[in-house]
Amino acid sequence: MKKIECFIRPEKLELVKEGLFEKGIKGMSIYEVRGHGNQRGILLSSRAGQYCVEWIDKLKMELVVSNKVDINDIINTIISKAQTGKPGDGKIFILPVEESIRIRTKERGEDIL
Ligand SMILES: Nc1ncnc2c1ncn2[C@@H]1O[C@H](COP(=O)(O)OP(=O)(O)OP(=O)(O)O)[C@@H](O)[C@H]1O
Ligand SMILES: [Mg+2]
């Protein structure tokens, strides 16, 4: 099993979610986060002049997928739905998952996903 953690633009959530549903992915969590990547924030202009916003609102989506799922297909789906080509499109991290357990039945393993 793998866990995909991705940071995306909040306005891309619906597109990414629909793309994942179409691939048969059902379980996922989302978190409202603030962060920055390589640019360490963005420069904005107002009447009072320029100011820097260091922490930018992002959405973090987490999904644990079974080894039966083609992980590159899922990654490509996320990219195709979340990409604008401009800085701040986000990042995807892939982590190994050791075990998963459904609390209701105590079942274990990737078939509970
Ligand atoms: N190394 C990291 N560790 C944890 N979270 C990160 C890391 N890099 C980026 N993030 C998260 O991803 C969000 C999006 O980052 P962002 O897309 O700006 O990355 P970037 O490397 O600057 O790429 P780009 O050049 O496209 O802007 C950040 O706001 C932050 O929440
Ligand atoms: Mg950036």
Side-chain angles (χ1 to χ4, degrees), residues 20-34:
L20 292 170
F21 279 178
E22 280 166 20
K23 297 286 174 184
I25 301 290
K26 296 169 206 136
M28 60 185 75
S29 303
I30 55 167
Y31 310 84
E32 288 173 356
V33 299
R34 289 188 299 153

Side-chain angles (χ1 to χ4, degrees), residues 19-22 30 44 46 50 53 61-62 64 76 81 93 109 111:
L20 292 170
F21 279 178
E22 280 166 20
I30 55 167
L44 293 178
S46 75
Q50 283 197 322
V53 178
M61 182 182 272
E62 293 187 357
V64 176
N76 287 331
K81 302 294 183 184
F93 299 100
D111 287 339

Side-chain angles (χ1 to χ4, degrees), residues 53-109:
V53 178
E54 186 180 8
W55 301 107
I56 299 157
D57 289 341
K58 292 283 168 189
L59 248 159
K60 181 182 182 187
M61 182 182 272
E62 293 187 357
L63 38 142
V64 176
V65 296
S66 116
N67 291 327
K68 294 170 190 153
V69 169
D70 180 350
I71 193 101
N72 282 312
D73 188 35
I74 300 302
I75 292 167
N76 287 331
T77 298
I78 295 169
I79 293 171
S80 72
K81 302 294 183 184
Q83 192 180 56
T84 70
K86 300 196 184 81
D89 272 354
K91 286 207 176 100
I92 302 173
F93 299 100
I94 312 292
L95 296 77
V97 172
E98 287 194 7
E99 184 63 290
S100 56
I101 301 144
R102 174 177 282 130
I103 293 174
R104 175 170 56 89
T105 57
K106 297 185 187 169
E107 289 166 277
R108 289 172 177 248

